Amino acid sequence: MANDDANRRDPNDMNLAELRDEIESIDREIVELIARRTYVAETVARVKSIENIPTTDEGQEQKVMDRAGENAERFDVDSNLVKAVFRLLIELNKVEQRESR
């Protein structure tokens, strides 16, 4: 991803169509990352099932939320927004984990 960042143009030098294309590209990357995260979460679900570990792990969920907040601050993004997105991702993964058992 670092190479992608180096190859990206400064948004201030783009016209509206180029900016919209850039957003479309970023959206595609976001969906790809969600898919990767979901795949890993499905693997976690299998391990939990095999090891008879409960689906919900509040301590781990808190770690994820803490990291999300820290990363939001690091990238100067609204922490509440980022945490809301991660709450949705966690809930999605928990539902999938329950369904796979």
Side-chain angles (χ1 to χ4, degrees), residues 35-63:
R36 284 178 49 199
R37 189 182 197 285
T38 300
Y39 173 77
V40 172
E42 289 169 355
T43 305
V44 167
R46 284 194 297 273
V47 170
K48 285 181 174 181
S49 180
I50 290 167
E51 297 182 9
N52 201 27
I53 297 172
T55 300
T56 301
D57 181 343
E58 291 178 13
Q60 181 61 27
E61 290 176 25
Q62 187 59 52
K63 287 179 187 176

Side-chain angles (χ1 to χ4, degrees), residues 3-35:
N3 288 340
D4 289 344
D5 291 342
N7 295 331
R8 290 208 172 137
R9 292 176 45 202
D10 184 342
N12 293 314
D13 296 333
M14 296 176 164
N15 64 36
L16 183 58
E18 292 170 326
L19 289 165
R20 287 179 173 162
D21 287 344
E22 181 69 4
I23 287 174
E24 182 180 336
S25 176
I26 292 167
D27 289 349
R28 192 173 23 258
E29 291 175 32
I30 290 169
V31 172
E32 179 184 355
L33 290 170
I34 291 170

